[in-house]
Amino acid sequence: MEKTQEIIKSTDLISDLRYQISNQIGAKSLLACIQCGICSSSCTVSEYIDLQPHRVVACLLLGLKDKILNSNAIWYCSLCHRCTERCPKNVDYSFILALLRNMAVKEGNMPPEYEITINNLLEHGFTVPYAGMMKKSIDRNREKFNLPEIVTPNLEEIEFIVKETGLKKILEDAKKGKKKEVKT
Amino acid sequence: MDYAFFLGCMIPLRSPQLEAAARKDCEILGIGLKEMHGASCCPDPVAIQSLGIETWLTIGARNLCIAEKMGLNVMTICSGCFETLKTVHVMLKRDKRYFDMVNEILGKIGYEFRGTSKVYHITEILSDKKMLEKIKDSVKVPLEGITLASHPGCHLIRPSKILEFDDPERPEVMDKILKTLGAEVKQYAEKVTCCGYCARLNEDIGDNLCEIKFNDLVKNQIDALITVCPACTSQYDLHGRKIARKSDKPMEIPVIHLPEIMALAFGINPKSENMDIMKRAIKPRKLLEKLKIEI
């Protein structure tokens, strides 16, 4: 089979991409990667992804942001942490992947499944809805087992944290972006 | 010993029967559980961490602050909660910059994270040497003649650099507990295979991983798969039924949360206010027959 070679232009490289990630919590070890590939050979979802873990790291070190963010590798990870467990240089790949997901989300790529989860957290304090008929059925179920009543956390505090950490704005921007898309 | 009992979301809201069994076990074993009023979702180590690491760390730290105010260590019965809370605890203590950032936000709503409360999964508390003796003394219906397989799942054991629990490649803590209950515990090739629940953006992944697991369990003639996480439990229970319906071989292997099988061995009525063993897709009828337990 003929192999087509991909040509990467130097102007496409974002030279400080690696530091944008490695400056964040738990990701300093990124710079220690030796491209041994043990992460890829340990990966639970390797047959489903279009960019193997060690290639994701290589792209990150090179500065190929779009190649990473357009890959399904950042979303299909099952978070089994086998890559992190086995890395001889202590690179925490699964944590780095979370940071890459954060980066994608900031650019407006928010999986609807995750949006539901954060909205539940904001509205109920839990990832499972706890209001109205749902609440009644949950309470009845808990009574059967003589379990203590559920106390909803202070939702203002949760909202304050989501706002202060910048996620609230990202959520609002994502909503606006969607409305625009619908219009056009 | 008392613990701040962190409930999470999935167990108290969707599967309260698992919480009931865990509470009963702890009562029998003298483990004191104190309610963490005001605690929220841990938050979810997949969705919330993926959306914003700072949000995840700060909400996690807020939950830990509640335990710190109580002056107690935290106990969870969910691997997801365990992973989040323990990782938040360990990473914030290792990273001064993020420790200060989190506290700056928490300070404005009247909390201070200090990192004084340690985080434990119930499995770790149960596997203590003295506790194993207590468990042995409390068994009323030994699980003799029963072959079990354990599924520690990913978020109880990996990454070991942070979670510091059990051998990440050859885990054995769960097996020790199950043997104490009188069961035979079989080692099987797919023991540390992920259940695929967290890869929920592509359903094929979960389907295939569950099929691999069940094929191995059937080959090993396992009576029940024992789990320690509500996500793994529901993933295997629902997929297991789907696989069994498709197959012409008998594939129905019940999936049971560790505190439930323990309550069964402690002689608790399996369909009572303390537990409901039939509340699952794959019913453990054969298992109960083997143990001569009637319901």
Side-chain angles (χ1 to χ4, degrees), chain A residues 151-154 157-158, chain B residues 4-6 34-41 58-74 85 106 110-114 116-117:
Chain A
V151 183
T152 304
N154 184 332
E157 289 176 11
I158 304 291
Chain B
F5 188 20
F6 187 82
K34 303 286 176 220
E35 308 304 318
M36 285 178 70
H37 294 299
S40 68
C41 166
T58 315
I59 295 180
R62 178 190 167 278
N63 282 326
L64 290 171
C65 287
I66 295 171
E68 288 181 9
K69 269 187 201 162
M70 295 162 78
L72 294 172
N73 289 332
V74 179
L85 296 178
L106 289 178
Y111 293 90
E112 190 201 351
F113 171 75
R114 286 175 297 157
T116 49
S117 291

Side-chain angles (χ1 to χ4, degrees), chain A residues 57-174:
Chain A
V57 175
C59 290
L60 193 47
L61 292 171
L62 268 172
L64 290 164
K65 187 175 172 180
D66 289 347
K67 193 167 171 75
I68 299 169
L69 296 192
N70 290 330
S71 156
N72 63 18
I74 62 168
W75 300 109
Y76 286 179
C77 166
S78 73
L79 281 175
C80 74
H81 298 305
R82 231 177 281 182
C83 46
T84 301
E85 188 60 56
R86 294 178 182 169
C87 178
K89 300 298 282 180
N90 282 331
V91 178
D92 194 337
Y93 179 74
S94 39
F95 211 73
I96 288 166
L97 210 58
L99 297 170
L100 289 169
R101 287 175 173 186
N102 288 180
M103 193 180 258
V105 166
K106 262 184 204 154
E107 300 198 353
N109 186 4
M110 176 147 6
E113 290 89 344
Y114 294 173
E115 204 176 342
I116 293 170
T117 308
I118 181 75
N119 286 334
N120 278 339
L121 182 61
L122 282 165
E123 268 175 54
H124 310 284
F126 304 110
T127 54
V128 177
Y130 184 62
M133 290 301 284
M134 275 294 259
K135 180 179 186 306
K136 271 185 195 158
S137 132
I138 288 167
D139 289 344
R140 227 180 298 131
N141 225 340
R142 291 184 62 80
E143 259 171 48
K144 260 193 264 169
F145 296 104
N146 277 338
L147 295 171
E149 238 176 88
I150 295 281
V151 183
T152 304
N154 184 332
L155 296 177
E156 279 171 23
E157 289 176 11
I158 304 291
E159 180 159 356
F160 182 80
I161 293 172
V162 175
K163 201 175 139 201
E164 286 287 302
T165 48
L167 185 56
K168 184 91 188 170
K169 191 176 178 303
I170 295 168
L171 288 167
E172 284 164 3
D173 287 350

Side-chain angles (χ1 to χ4, degrees), chain B residues 157-172:
Chain B
I157 53 173
R158 286 187 298 267
S160 61
K161 289 157 205 144
I162 290 174
L163 300 182
E164 294 170 324
F165 178 78
D166 210 353
D167 186 317
E169 305 283 356
R170 289 172 183 270
E172 52 172 31

Side-chain angles (χ1 to χ4, degrees), chain A residues 34-54:
Chain A
I34 51 168
Q35 286 291 299
C36 69
I38 201 163
C39 48
S40 300
S41 57
S42 306
C43 181
T44 296
V45 299
S46 64
E47 58 190 297
Y48 303 93
I49 51 179
D50 52 21
L51 202 59
Q52 296 301 311
H54 75 289

